[in-house]
Amino acid sequence: MTDKTLIDLSWDDFDEHRDPRPDSNEFDAVVERAVSRRGFLGGALAFGSGAAVFGTGLLSSTTASRAAAHGGFAFTPIDIATDHEIHVPEGYQHKVLVRWGDALWSEADGAYDNGVSVEMSDKVFGENTDGMELFDVDGREVIAVNSEYVNPKINLPEASEGVPQSAEEVALLKNLQGVTIMEIAKSEDGYQVVKDSPLNRRITHETEMVLEGPLAGHDLVKTNADPEGRTVKGTMNNCGSGRTLWGTYLTCEENFNGYFGTTGAEPEGEGYSRYGIGGEGRYAYEKFDARFDLSKEPNEPHRHGYVTEIDPANPDSTPVKRTALGRIKHENAAMVHASDGRVVVYMGDDERGEFLYKYVSNGTWAEGQDGGDLLNDGTLYAAKFNDDMTGEWLALTPETTGMDAAEILVFTRMAASAVGATTMDRPEWVAVNPLKAEAYVALTNNRNRGVKPNAGGDETPVNGPNPRETNNFGQIARWRPEGDNHAADGFAWDLYVMAGNPTVYDNAYGGSDNINEGNMFNSPDGMVFSSDGMLWIQTDGDDDNEGEFAGMGNNQMLVGNPETGEIARFMTVPNGAEVTGLCWSLDKTVAFVGVQHPGGQWPDNAGKPRSSVVAVWREDGATIG
């Protein structure tokens, strides 16, 4: 396959080309067996007395109809859309806060209009916005936001046909990705970026950062350029996000494998194949930068695929890769303070047939403390879901995996396979309810569920949290930790929602009973809880509005009530786009929403489409989250 063809693939299809996945996942088999025990209620799994504990997540059709009538929500749900615009409920307004290519410093004014140059490419807002968080820095509002990847056919000269032809063009692509940290402030015209703020910062594929935790200085992360194995350049394919209890930003490296290729012999071994590393890189970096050439630096990929911590209050700080949290294709990092004082981080590995993880610190945290070694010293676990609606977190240790401590953190997927964790339908964002001890994971979809195994040979049968073969719609699973302690080893689980199309199917593919014609969607991806305990759900799915997706329209953001199971559509984005990332102003009157890879000519109604962050607010000035 040529470089040009690789660039045209979605990241999901790129992974399938590089590392074909199995036909089935164990999570679906768990659900199937649980269903055989307890039965379906309108297509969703109920788990008896547990339903009363978790709240009514699985609704009767009568209750579902009431949900469509917007009971319990502070807005009137909106219809689907198929155009290239943004739509929000009546009584709400929206405005673009920042677009890819907008200047963060005055010296970059007009840079986008003239075609962003290499010199200006790290002084403008990055492309393809994703996870984000807002911070209070001495009363100033600062957003940290990821730029996941680039569209070379948009960024590079037309003659390049989307494939870098020089080191300069590679440098341009490197600078348009990573993380943007920017101050924002209210003005008469709404929120705007504070240009030239001393807090503004761009972090790219060339920014120096350090490895901390058990892997720092280990032979597996040493390279020719860094023989000490402690200093790394760049954080890449930054997908979802998180925030620490002590006020720093967590950015998550997802499809890092796609940046590496080889101009010579390929390194061999499961450590490469399991992560889809080999062949040609997606952006031809290896042709112009030896760091990305596997034949020259076979350990460089071992230095990526981590959660990276950044201090948004200190633009001179060095980002830190937290190796104790494992090396996977991290979607997001949901941190919570366990009832016993320890720090817990939930994480999904976004690839078909991979696993759900959590990290538990050995030490405890108290209000007012910094992070210290809490993210360096702890235990990593992978989730096992059982047919009886219980589950357990399996510790990844030398004793349980047969691997040494360093191997567990570099080859985390293999460690999870070794302990028999449950293979999942692409675990994306994890969200933790701020009002009660429960957490949710978006299992976005899996066309291979029940069809073939994962890259490690683990079967992917239809099971508990993954209840449908060839799952094109996705679902959201949730769990409550034993004793309401997120650090506990045990949990109870159920399904909050199974996405589907009830206008096409009258079986499990029609979705659970809290899905109806007025709120149906596919491929849940981003999830964030607002401070009032409502679950905001963002989709990244099929928006052709045809076949089994007929009537779903463009990708959307919905709001779910964890207590009643009601779900209502709040926002739709331009055709071709996904909804990515969500945070709120300090006073909770404005929501900031990411719009990635839009189609048409949005938002300028002229020229190229531009990923953007959009501000949404109520016309009456009331809180929105």
Side-chain angles (χ1 to χ4, degrees), residues 243-248 335-337 342-343 365 367 369:
R243 62 188 303 133
T244 65
L245 300 169
W246 45 92
T248 55
M335 181 178 287
V336 61
H337 197 199
R342 288 182 288 173
V343 170
W365 180 83
E367 192 72 40
Q369 295 179 344

Side-chain angles (χ1 to χ4, degrees), residues 406-420:
E407 290 173 333
I408 290 169
L409 298 180
V410 174
F411 308 119
T412 307
R413 288 180 166 181
M414 294 147 66
S417 292
V419 299

